[in-house]
Amino acid sequence: MIYEGFFVWLYAVYLLFMSFVTFVMYGVDKRRAKRGQWRISEKALLTLGFIGGAAGAILGMHLFRHKTKHWYFWAINIVAIILQLAILALAVATQLR
């Protein structure tokens, strides 16, 4: 039998992993932008944030000062982090019943 909180734990680990990957990608893209090299597409950065890496995206935007002037980066990542935290909170609340 699978531990009752396994999927909550798995989702939390997934969010942490995706946030780390997304944070690193924002840093890589900023470095490439400064050097005039091939860049990571905006679509890829936004997708990474939306599928689980919103916390890393917001942190990367802030720390690397990257994509901060694009309102849609803020909007999509804020909506994504709200959704991701709501799903996590719902999963935790379900386990507490």
Side-chain angles (χ1 to χ4, degrees):
M1 181 170 171
I2 296 178
Y3 170 67
E4 292 177 3
F6 176 73
F7 293 110
V8 174
W9 178 83
L10 186 63
Y11 182 65
V13 169
Y14 170 78
L15 290 178
L16 287 172
F17 175 75
M18 287 304 297
S19 290
F20 175 75
V21 169
T22 305
F23 176 78
V24 169
M25 295 302 279
Y26 271 78
V28 167
D29 191 51
K30 178 66 176 193
R31 173 186 266 170
R32 289 179 178 177
K34 285 182 173 182
R35 294 179 176 179
Q37 296 175 334
W38 170 84
R39 305 277 305 280
I40 298 166
S41 72
E42 288 186 349
K43 183 178 178 180
L45 292 173
L46 288 170
T47 300
L48 284 169
F50 199 76
I51 64 170
I58 292 171
L59 186 62
M61 287 172 63
H62 180 69
L63 289 179
F64 299 122
R65 295 186 180 141
H66 192 51
K67 302 292 185 185
T68 56
K69 294 181 181 179
H70 300 289
W71 66 268
Y72 49 91
F73 269 83
W74 286 110
I76 290 172
N77 285 313
I78 288 170
V79 167
I81 200 166
I82 290 168
L83 287 172
Q84 291 161 16
L85 291 176
I87 291 168
L88 184 61
L90 182 62
V92 169
T94 303
Q95 290 299 314
L96 295 177
R97 288 188 193 175

